[in-house]
Amino acid sequence: MKLIERYIFAKLVRAFFLSLVALTATVWLTQALRQFDLVSAMGQTLITFFQVTLLLLPPLATVVAPVAVMIAVIYTFNSLNDGSELAVINATGTRQWSLLKPVLMLGIGVTIFMAAMTLYMSPLALRLWRETITNVQGNVLTSILREGEFVELSDDLIFQLRQRAPDGTLRGIFMSDSREAEETIVYLAERGAVLDSEIGVFLVMSDGTIQRRNEKDNTISIIQFTSYAFDLSTYSSRSETPPYRPRERPTFYLFSPDLDDKYYRRKPETYAQELYTRFSTPLNAMVFALLPLMFLSQAETTRQSRSTTISMASGSAMVIAGLSFTLSVASGENFAAAIALFVVPLGFVILSITLILIGIQPRPPERLLILSDKISLRVKRLLRIPVATVGASAR
């Protein structure tokens, strides 16, 4: 690899990783806030919260990786143009291959990364996420920690909690046990806590009373206690994981689904759609890498509107991504759409490589450039930028 190629590749890689981390963190934060109910309402620890939310990283990384590639290419070649480095490269007769090769290497690397995500890591992470969420929501210990609700742990066993303190202490405990036909037991306690030990799970109540009512003669006996443990081990077992959805299934399973699969019997076309999508999605990395380069590979003077070219590059990539999404939705029932799902991105990749190598750079229409300059001028005036500066840059 030549020096100029290493230089461009290093800038691309740095910009890509910064963009990937920033975008992934932003999207992950929005998803993590949606799962915060695990801590605030379901009484789970921060470890469980991070376990659940971090399992969403592989599918999120698959979504943002192509965008991070596009941002890296646009940033790198725009900075090369602003620093007149791109003009020097073009003027010295450097072959277009020297500009294409670093971008191609980055695109191939991200394509391999996305293939690993879509074909293996994302389905695995989603399966683990589903199992964890099911265990949390199905565990009775999660249910009893809901403040102010009467929760039926089993037939004739009802639990109610007034308040749960930040340190995990339970306050205002009420429990009615009428599982025995001849006797009803009511537990009232000022405070308590759930103890999960090796021998079982217990609700340890403090400063309360046990009221026993005999259903035959309606006699009531009251016992006051300072500490009492109620066994909850029977109700703390894991619930059965529901059937996996197509996006949670391993890739090899999609080739030959179980005929008794609940979702397969209902919508068998979704399995084919998911399979086509997993293999075609990594191609977006190549599209988002090469398409911006096709618009930005040639040097432009500061008098020319680079922002309009960047808008065309990013807009074109988004249009192709939208078209691919539409084709993926239709691919389960339409085989022609499934073929087009691969042909469209590959076609734009070949077109981009061809135009880059022969040195043809698509440019926005002159009217669009004039309109862009006018909009930019008005925006800068609204921001009170000196008119002289605007005029110098617009001429």
Side-chain angles (χ1 to χ4, degrees):
M1 186 183 291
K2 297 179 181 178
L3 179 61
I4 185 62
E5 295 172 356
R6 291 199 300 270
Y7 174 70
I8 295 175
F9 183 71
K11 289 177 70 70
L12 286 169
V13 171
R14 286 196 297 268
F16 167 72
F17 278 110
L18 286 174
S19 301
L20 181 65
V21 171
L23 291 173
T24 304
T26 302
V27 179
W28 174 82
L29 184 60
T30 61
Q31 298 296 317
L33 292 175
R34 296 173 59 184
Q35 302 296 333
F36 195 72
D37 185 60
L38 290 173
V39 175
S40 61
M42 296 187 178
Q44 298 299 308
T45 63
L46 286 175
I47 295 177
T48 303
F49 168 73
F50 281 110
Q51 179 184 358
V52 170
T53 53
L54 289 176
L55 286 172
L56 298 174
L57 282 179
L60 292 179
T62 304
V63 174
V64 302
V67 181
V69 171
M70 181 178 67
I71 293 174
V73 174
I74 291 175
Y75 168 78
T76 299
F77 282 86
N78 192 50
S79 63
L80 289 176
N81 184 75
D82 291 343
S84 300
E85 295 168 291
L86 194 57
V88 173
I89 293 173
N90 294 150
T92 55
T94 304
R95 295 188 306 168
Q96 290 294 102
W97 172 250
S98 296
L99 301 178
L100 175 62
K101 184 177 178 181
V103 177
L104 202 58
M105 291 176 60
L106 177 66
I108 293 174
V110 178
T111 299
I112 296 174
F113 166 76
M114 289 183 60
M117 292 293 105
T118 59
L119 297 178
Y120 179 74
M121 291 300 299
S122 291
L124 175 61
L126 289 174
R127 287 198 304 276
L128 295 175
W129 180 86
R130 170 63 69 87
E131 292 172 0
T132 304
I133 289 294
T134 301
N135 291 333
V136 169
Q137 293 178 342
N139 197 321
V140 71
L141 299 183
T142 296
S143 302
I144 68 174
L145 294 177
R146 297 177 181 175
E147 298 178 358
E149 296 185 19
F150 286 89
V151 180
E152 188 174 1
L153 303 183
S154 65
D155 292 339
D156 300 321
L157 181 61
I158 299 174
F159 179 91
Q160 197 264 349
L161 170 69
R162 184 180 74 239
Q163 181 185 10
R164 180 169 58 86
D167 61 357
T169 302
L170 310 180
R171 299 188 183 279
I173 299 173
F174 168 85
M175 187 161 55
S176 175
D177 184 0
S178 55
R179 291 174 294 177
E180 298 292 336
E182 299 179 353
E183 185 180 49
T184 298
I185 306 175
V186 176
Y187 302 85
L188 296 173
E190 185 62 30
R191 64 183 182 275
V194 176
L195 176 63
D196 191 352
S197 64
E198 295 181 357
I199 60 175
V201 180
F202 298 90
L203 174 62
V204 181
M205 296 175 282
S206 302
D207 298 333
T209 60
I210 301 176
Q211 302 177 16
R212 297 178 181 271
R213 177 181 176 181
N214 192 306
E215 298 296 338
K216 291 183 178 180
D217 54 16
N218 290 328
T219 57
I220 297 177
S221 63
I222 300 177
I223 302 175
Q224 188 173 3
F225 61 84
T226 56
S227 180
Y228 185 86
F230 186 89
D231 190 0
L232 291 174
S233 303
T234 306
Y235 311 104
S236 62
S237 59
R238 295 186 175 184
S239 57
E240 183 180 354
T241 303
Y244 292 120
R245 298 174 182 176
R247 64 175 184 167
E248 299 163 348
R249 291 290 189 180
T251 301
F252 64 85
Y253 179 88
L254 299 179
F255 284 98
S256 181
D258 186 356
L259 298 180
D260 295 328
D261 190 313
K262 172 184 175 182
Y263 287 100
Y264 183 74
R265 291 201 309 268
R266 187 187 307 171
K267 290 185 177 181
E269 68 278 1
T270 57
Y271 283 75
Q273 173 189 332
E274 177 66 21
L275 184 62
Y276 296 141
T277 301
R278 288 189 189 182
F279 280 96
S280 62
T281 298
L283 297 176
N284 289 335
M286 295 296 294
V287 175
F288 277 65
L290 295 173
L291 206 60
L293 180 62
M294 182 178 67
F295 286 90
L296 303 172
S297 60
Q298 300 297 319
E300 292 180 315
T301 65
T302 55
R303 296 181 180 181
Q304 295 172 299
S305 180
R306 192 77 165 178
S307 59
T308 307
T309 305
I310 293 175
S311 299
M312 284 190 60
S314 56
S316 300
M318 292 301 177
V319 168
I320 296 174
L323 178 60
S324 297
F325 175 76
T326 303
L327 291 172
S328 68
V329 173
S331 62
E333 298 178 339
N334 191 322
F335 188 68
I339 296 176
L341 186 60
F342 295 89
V343 172
V344 169
L346 289 175
F348 277 98
V349 167
I350 296 172
L351 175 64
S352 300
I353 292 176
T354 303
L355 294 181
I356 293 169
L357 290 178
I358 63 180
I360 297 179
Q361 176 177 320
R363 297 184 183 276
E366 189 66 25
R367 291 183 178 179
L368 185 60
L369 291 175
I370 296 174
L371 178 61
S372 175
D373 287 339
K374 289 181 179 179
I375 295 175
S376 177
L377 183 62
R378 290 190 177 185
V379 171
K380 290 179 179 179
R381 282 177 174 171
L382 289 174
L383 297 176
R384 297 183 179 180
I385 298 177
V387 177
T389 303
V390 176
S393 61
R395 285 197 301 269

